[in-house]
Amino acid sequence: MSHLAPRYRGVFPVVPTTFNELGQLDLASQKRCVDFMIDAGSTGLCILANFSEQFVLSDEERETLTRTILGHVAGRVPVIVTTTHFSTQVCIERSRRAQALGAAMVMVMPPYHGATLRVGEPQIHEFFARLSDAIRVPIMVQDAPVAGTPLPAAFLARMAQEIEHVAYFKIETAGAASKLRELIRLGGDAVEGPWDGEEAITLLPDLDAGATGAMTGGGYPDGIRQIMDAYTAERREDAAALYERWLPLINYENRQAGFLAAKALMHEGGVIACAAPRHPWPDLHPAVRAGLMQTARRLDPLVLRWAR
């Protein structure tokens, strides 16, 4: 295992999608959100992920967001675009458009729909192989419980070895560190980017297992960067202390507030104009929001000061 020069490593948080009170895209807030996330130390960004509420967006809005965000980032940091779709053809079309607009990488879940529609490993392999043949940028396989599709480490490693652009893996399933360790052992150099996900709730064990990247929520990249930077500089004790310091907020996002945490923090700090999700997703409960702010204020993250 070398991982000496992965193209991408570090902290690549998910950019939330900002709406106004009427549930329309708020592109002015969207640009401020991106500027804040870059200023807060994001190594790169990821858009149109589940934490971006991709499931409430139309195809036209996806196009608008990709064009707007990539245009506004203007090469300051690399941007990963999520292009998941059940259809191989639609996923290819989405990925080609993302590539044409300047995406550094695409992130894709295995084909799934609803709670029960799945395909087996031969179809998943073929899906990623066809996608790889159609594009030039790296592919990140998102191994997340929401897809309900078991992706054993051996299968992921085989895809890395057999499919040209399949090189990055965001592992968010239970026992992520053990799976990352096994994936790296089996896949060797073909696994260019073994990454942590799920809001960094398992970040330290995942780094110990060999993770080189983290895809977290977008509310406090400065906090995640502190942990990653210390670890990368081989100061594990410092990284552990920082992880323990930020863990209450990481836990609050992961277990209580979910994908609305980043927007609530950004709204509180004046970065964005409205923290609301899109109907029918319920608003953050006032008590949950209060607990989130209480937890965040102890840490003084940039999000609460950036726009002041």
Side-chain angles (χ1 to χ4, degrees), residues 33-273:
C33 162
V34 165
D35 287 338
F36 153 70
M37 289 176 66
I38 294 172
D39 284 352
S42 303
T43 319
L45 302 171
C46 176
I47 65 171
L48 303 180
N50 293 322
F51 257 48
S52 315
E53 298 173 71
Q54 59 83 15
F55 42 82
V56 297
L57 299 171
S58 70
D59 286 353
E60 189 182 0
E61 288 169 332
R62 291 177 58 88
E63 183 82 6
T64 298
L65 287 162
T66 306
R67 199 175 289 279
T68 301
I69 294 171
L70 281 163
H72 187 66
V73 170
R76 285 179 282 170
V77 295
V79 179
I80 300 171
V81 179
T82 312
T83 57
T84 298
H85 196 281
F86 190 94
S87 155
T88 307
Q89 190 55 42
V90 175
C91 183
I92 285 172
E93 286 164 9
R94 283 182 171 185
S95 300
R96 278 180 164 158
R97 282 204 298 274
Q99 177 182 274
L101 289 168
M105 189 189 316
V106 294
M107 181 169 77
V108 180
M109 281 190 280
Y112 80 99
H113 180 75
T116 58
L117 292 181
R118 302 286 174 277
V119 296
E121 285 183 12
Q123 286 80 20
I124 295 169
H125 189 288
E126 178 78 2
F127 172 94
F128 280 105
R130 289 189 190 187
L131 173 60
S132 177
D133 287 345
I135 62 175
R136 299 182 309 275
V137 295
I139 298 164
M140 173 175 283
V141 179
Q142 182 178 3
D143 182 15
V146 69
T149 304
L151 296 170
F155 176 60
L156 293 176
R158 184 162 69 84
M159 287 206 296
Q161 288 165 337
E162 294 175 359
I163 303 172
E164 183 182 3
H165 295 302
V166 171
Y168 288 77
F169 299 86
K170 181 168 88 153
I171 306 299
E172 305 187 89
T173 47
S178 297
K179 191 165 188 175
L180 281 162
R181 199 174 285 113
E182 186 71 352
L183 174 62
I184 292 164
R185 184 181 75 79
L186 295 169
D189 287 346
V191 179
E192 183 180 331
W195 281 25
D196 163 85
E198 215 198 349
E199 300 79 75
I201 193 74
T202 58
L203 181 58
L204 201 65
D206 291 351
L207 290 171
D208 284 339
T212 55
M215 190 178 289
T216 62
Y220 43 96
D222 45 325
I224 308 298
R225 260 304 286 274
Q226 290 173 23
I227 303 163
M228 284 289 280
D229 288 354
Y231 197 96
T232 306
E234 298 185 354
R235 302 194 328 266
R236 193 190 178 281
E237 279 311 304
D238 292 347
L242 287 160
Y243 178 62
E244 287 168 14
R245 184 163 180 264
W246 287 89
L247 197 52
L249 185 56
I250 292 169
N251 180 69
Y252 213 97
E253 177 175 35
N254 178 261
R255 304 300 296 176
Q256 309 299 326
F259 64 76
L260 293 181
K263 287 206 283 195
L265 289 164
M266 288 179 188
H267 182 247
E268 178 73 13
V271 179
I272 64 174

